[in-house]
Each structure stands twice: as C-alpha cells, then as structure tokens.
Amino acid sequence: MQDIILLKQGEIVLKGLNKKYFEQKLISNVKRRLRSLGEFDVTCTQSTIYVEPKSDDIDMDETQQAMTKVFGIAAVVRAAACDKTPEAMAQKAIEYMAEAMREAGSFKVETRRADKAFPMTSIEVSQYVGGELAEAFPETAVDVHNPELTVHVEVRERAAYIHRPPLPGAGGLPVGCGGTAVTLLSGGIDSPVSTYMIAKRGVHMIPVHFFSFPYTSELAKQKVLDLAKELTAYCGRLTVEVVPFTHIQTEIRDKCPEEYFTLIMRRFMMRIAAKIAQQEGAKALITGESLGQVASQTLDALCCTDAVAGMPVFRPLIGNDKIEIIHIAEKIGTYETSCQPYEDCCTVFTPRHPCTRPKLEHVERAEGALDIDALVDAAVAGTEMIQL
C-alpha cells in the first residue's frame, strides 16, 4: 500500500445531530483544495478523512502542506498503510521510519487502537513494534519519557497506519457552514488577519476594497488582490469587490470639517459594505480595527461608525495589540505583502488633528452637506468584481 494522508477532524467531533452537515462541508472543501494537486479518493470514517492518491506522481509533501490550511482539520498525518497484523506493522515501521530512526538518538512507539475488535491492546502493539524497531536500529535508544522521535501506530477499521507526529491543522470550522460576511480588505496588516480569523469560524468571506485612483495606484490595488490570493489558501474561492472611492473622498474633503474626514470616510465605507452585503445575502461586516490603535478606532469613533451599518459588525482584533496581529500575519503568510510600500485610501486626506471623541449628532451634522444616498449608490454601481 502507498502513502496516505489522514485528516483528523477538530471541533466538528463535538457536534450533535447536525455533525453530518459540517462533515460534508469539510469533505467538499478538501476535495476542492485537492483538485489542483492531482486525483484522490476522499472518504470519511470514524471522524477521520482519508486522502488516497490515485497515482504515484502526486507530490504528497505539497498535498500534506495544503491540507494544513483547510479550516475544520485539527491534525494532518502522512502515513504508510499496512495489514493489521503485528508482523506487518513492525515491518512497515522498520521500512517507513528507517531514515528518521537513524537520525534520532532515542525513540518510543505510541499506538492508538481505533478498531476495538483488534485482539492486541495499544500497549501490546507498542511493545511489539518498539521491540522490532530496537532490534533493527540498535544504535537508537528506547526512551519512553523524552524521546527525540515518536513512532505512531494507528489500528483502524481499514488498515494499520505508521507515521511520525502529525502536523497541526488550521482548526476552526469548515468554510461555508457559518454563513456569509463582507470583510473590508485594505492593503494593511490588520484586515487580512481579521478576514482569516472570521473565516476560521466557518464563514464565507466577500472582500470589499475601496480604491481611490489616482490618489492610490494600480500597484496598491494589485497588492490587495495579492493579499486576497494568499488568503484563498484558507478561505477558499474569493470574489474581491473593488469599490471606486475617489469621488466620495473628494466630496468629504471639499464639504466637511477636516477633523471628521476619516470618520465620515469610515461611515461611507460601512454604508457601502452593508449595501453590498444585502445584495449578496451576507449577514455581517468584518473589519480589522483594534481598539485605540488610531483616532478612528476609539470607542466613541467606533460607535459613530457602527451607527450607519444596519447589521452586526465583527472586529476579531479589537483586543489585540500590533505585535500580536503581526504574529498572526506572519503565520498565515500575509505580512510581507502587507508591508509593501503602496498606500491605500485610508491615508488619503488624513486630517492633521482628527477628532477622537466625536459625538454622533456632530458627525451627522458635518456630513449633512453631502448627498449620501447618491454617493453610495454610485459607488456600489461602479464596483468591479474580481474572482480569485
């Protein structure tokens, strides 16, 4: 038998009567992610998904890494399958773990017996396979407390599997099982991270980007598309909706008090994002705001922003500081792209002294000179949709 990948489900296993729905969504997401890597048989038994390649030319290392980015999976194992006999398990362990055994100074064997009908206990399997490995590799010491290498044996319904410690999966819930939300995606560090965090809870994301050409360049727009492309490894297929924002920003600059520029701009973003959400059947808005990080992210400012949303606004980074956000960005691979020196529309017409404790009635009075509905409708009508 050739190598196989075992995907261990995460919190799906805690679900009740609706567990099958989450499981089917996860299997569908796994199959979609595998399409570009080759042909596989994908099946599910005992809360484990089996990914079996149909040909020998498939890059199993690449496949294993791709599976670590699928939400809903707790652990990813690349294993060698064999018959469920002590002799076959020991022989497969000797063959499959040979290089690792020679490199390690010490080892132990851990067994999980998912097939309770198998006549040997987990301890008996570990003792037998461990003894055969010790005899085959006498230079590698047995250490059951702090080994350099742990050889895993799993006895399941179909076969037995030998593998190294699993790679951690992405966790969370399968994308698509938690509804749809619109995420405000800029070129900064924060918004890709907040998008990732809500997608991890099973939500399908619709990224909306506000583009202010010529104040922001085509390179800035491409930077956002690159970020969205990087997020597809976790979020699945994305359609980025690029909203023309230049006219709104110049109207704000020409007709509103300077100290409210950024806040009124954010209120327009919320109005437009909410209208797009209604058109797409989305139930919430997602932003990358962190409390107190900038003037428009104080409690007073956020209250003024939310007043025009008309639907829930989720801010998964609200209690994180910048270092914590950067760590997540580095982990998911968006940090380097976010650091490219192309500004987004949030930096256009930045006030010298922004109001940090705005009152809603003052903000509403300040934007009263604008034809809000016409500006929002025009922006939504001019939105460009880019599928990734």
Side-chain angles (χ1 to χ4, degrees), residues 235-265:
C235 302
R237 294 174 292 190
L238 292 175
T239 299
V240 182
E241 305 207 14
V242 181
V243 178
F245 207 55
T246 308
H247 182 54
I248 289 176
Q249 288 193 284
T250 55
E251 284 285 288
I252 294 171
R253 178 198 61 188
D254 294 342
K255 298 178 180 179
C256 299
E258 182 183 355
E259 64 269 25
Y260 293 124
F261 279 0
T262 302
L263 187 53
I264 294 174
M265 177 193 73

Side-chain angles (χ1 to χ4, degrees), residues 283-330:
K283 304 300 183 184
L285 306 180
I286 315 299
T287 80
E289 291 159 314
S290 172
L291 188 61
Q293 184 170 230
V294 294
S296 63
Q297 296 176 17
T298 63
L299 275 178
D300 297 278
L302 293 177
C303 288
C304 289
T305 301
D306 284 3
V308 298
M311 62 176 57
V313 180
F314 298 147
R315 296 179 172 92
L317 306 182
I318 196 68
N320 292 84
D321 63 31
K322 201 66 176 183
I323 298 301
E324 293 169 328
I325 297 169
I326 287 172
H327 286 164
I328 300 174
E330 290 173 335

